[in-house]
Every structure is written in structure tokens, then in C-alpha cells.
Amino acid sequence: MRVLFVTWAWPSHLYALVPFAWACRNEGHEVLVASQPALLPELLACGLPAATVGTDVDAAAMVAEYALPREQDQPKQTGSGPGGRGPRALQMFTRLAEAMTGGLIELGRQWRPDLVVFEPTALAGPLAAAALGVPAVRHLYGTDLMLRARPVLPAALAPLAAEHGVAEFDPFGLATVDPTPASLQLPVNYHRLPVRHVAYQGPGRLPEPLPDPAGRPRVLISWGHTMAKLAPDRFLAGEVARALAEDDGPELVLAVSARQRGLLGELPERVRVLVDTPLDL
């Protein structure tokens, strides 16, 4: 079977797909991972066959528009989350689908997949699958944050679907692969395929062994990648480390990227900093 994996150009969304893509390949299936051109370095680093489709968009600006508060936001708006972020998120996902769907369909006609697997916000995936006449399956990267948007997605994507000759499609696909721990899963009315979570955060070198914590708990601090891209003043990993760095407190390990190192500020000597080290290592 040929399986086409789809994500837009945001590394963490790709990382969630990689273990399942490798599992498919290890079972003998042909695998191809597709995203926008901006993600090509990460696509190649995961060791799977890759293709780029569509055009790049200013994803960081769109995420900032959705994620960061604005002065005119009114939290009292109902049904859309604080500050009307729901509609802004929907606009972002629709714009991403517009940037990818045509190229993804063209790739599909050349490569001829039997199945499309897409992360929940890469809505070009189910659209292209419908245009190609093959099934689509979602793969979550955490709690199903798109669940509340399910009723409005078909109407929001209807113009794009019509543009590509798609009369009907399900933006949630035929089934949803869910690696989320059971305690974080939401009650749903769709076909869920629970799987064990397998970590992947990109390639990296195994760090030197950490010293014995001498009976103290060890705390790993990470602030992810998103906030440093959107608003460096909200990258609070260093502040958290300073708050926890008590003489009789836990051993602290701070995981950051090279570009984030300069955002930490002055740290106590007892805080160990690991740079560009995948969290699973």
C-alpha cells in the first residue's frame, strides 16, 4: 500500500506523524511525506521519502495573529474562545489548505497513494484524498483541539472543495489515530484508533550523562519552539528556572534551541542547559 502523509510547515506537527510513518514503512508499505517547501530540511532529517507541494505562507505571522492577544479582543465573545481566536484559527487553517491543496492533488495524481494520513490542521489532506478518490485518516498530535470546529469546517472549506471538484468530504477522515494518553482523550463520536505514543523530536546527539541527582527530583524545563518565534518576551523558560532554583530544590535541566539560548538571561550555576537536544534523548 502507498501512504501519503500530509502536514503544513510547522515542525512539531510533522514530528507527531514520523513514528507512525516509520511504522507503516517497517510493515512494508511505501511512504511519502508531503508539506510546504519551508519544511524541507525537517522532512529530509526524519529519514523518510519527502515531497514539497504548494506555496509557503508566513505561518509564524498567522499563528501569532491567532495565539497572541490583541487590544481589540473581547473575551466575552461566545462560541469562539477568548478574543475571537476560534474564527482566526479557522481562517489560518483555511489559508493553509488553499496554499497546499492544488499541489497536493497534483502530487497524488503522479504518486497515486492508496491512503492519505494527515495531521488535524492540515485540511488539504482530506480535500486532496476526496479529489483523488482515496480514504483519509487523521493523526492527532495531542488532545483533539479541532473537535469543536468540526461542524463549521465543511462550510468553511466548501469554496476550496468546489474549486477542485470535490462535492462532499469529511474533514475528520474515516478514522482518527490517537496517540494521546487515555486521561487526556476527549469523548468523541468518531472512529478512534488508540495507539501508543512514541516520541520523536528530530535527530540529535545523545548528551553526556547527567550527574546523580543525590536523591533530589530532576525537573526538565522546556518552552517549546512556538513562543520564541512569535514573541521572544513571552519565552519564559529562564524565568521558570530562576524561580525553581532553590538551594534545597530539584535538579534543573533546561532544554532550548541554539537560537533560544540568548533569551534565557542569567541563570544560577546549578541549572544545566542542554542546547538542540531532542527531549526524548
Side-chain angles (χ1 to χ4, degrees):
M1 185 168 67
R2 287 186 165 187
V3 187
L4 178 61
F5 287 79
V6 180
T7 179
W8 57 280
W10 207 251
S12 56
H13 293 208
L14 166 67
Y15 293 169
L17 295 177
V18 170
F20 190 58
W22 268 109
C24 290
R25 195 175 192 190
N26 290 341
E27 288 295 319
H29 303 297
E30 293 184 59
V31 166
L32 182 64
V33 186
S35 187
Q36 295 161 292
L39 199 63
L40 183 58
E42 285 81 6
L43 290 173
L44 298 177
C46 71
L48 292 163
T52 57
V53 297
T55 58
D56 288 322
V57 297
D58 190 347
M62 287 195 299
V63 174
E65 173 71 11
Y66 151 66
L68 299 180
R70 301 183 304 181
E71 290 184 3
Q72 64 267 39
D73 287 339
Q74 298 296 327
K76 65 182 180 181
Q77 290 174 310
T78 59
S80 61
R85 293 180 184 178
R88 297 208 299 269
L90 187 60
Q91 292 172 5
M92 175 176 69
F93 299 142
T94 301
R95 175 70 184 89
L96 290 164
E98 292 170 349
M100 292 184 62
T101 299
L104 193 60
I105 292 173
E106 182 179 352
L107 173 67
R109 287 172 178 161
Q110 296 171 2
W111 196 66
R112 302 173 70 179
D114 302 295
L115 173 69
V116 173
V117 177
F118 63 101
E119 56 91 356
T121 60
L123 297 170
L127 277 170
L132 297 169
V134 300
V137 168
R138 281 198 317 160
H139 191 297
L140 299 185
Y141 51 78
T143 299
D144 193 351
L145 300 179
M146 297 294 285
L147 186 60
R148 291 178 61 190
R150 190 179 191 184
V152 301
L153 287 176
L157 295 168
L160 182 59
E163 179 182 336
H164 295 285
V166 175
E168 186 176 345
F169 80 105
D170 187 344
F172 274 35
L174 293 179
T176 293
V177 177
D178 191 350
T180 310
S183 61
L184 297 177
Q185 291 177 354
L186 299 176
V188 298
N189 61 354
Y190 54 68
H191 183 35
R192 185 192 339 243
L193 301 173
V195 297
R196 178 171 57 92
H197 171 74
V198 177
Y200 176 82
Q201 292 98 28
R205 182 177 180 179
L206 186 68
E208 294 295 324
L210 294 172
D212 189 333
R216 293 182 299 167
R218 175 176 289 152
V219 176
L220 173 67
I221 303 170
S222 170
W223 217 249
H225 288 274
T226 298
M227 197 52 63
K229 295 178 183 177
L230 305 186
D233 62 311
R234 294 173 181 261
F235 185 78
L236 305 180
E239 187 172 334
V240 172
R242 285 186 289 275
L244 294 176
E246 301 174 355
D247 291 338
D248 57 349
E251 179 192 6
L252 301 177
V253 180
L254 187 54
V256 297
S257 69
R259 62 181 297 182
Q260 296 169 354
R261 185 64 180 88
L263 301 176
L264 296 177
E266 186 175 350
L267 295 171
E269 291 184 3
R270 57 190 303 267
V271 177
R272 180 179 295 268
V273 179
L274 297 182
V275 178
D276 288 336
T277 301
L279 293 183
D280 58 325
L281 298 183

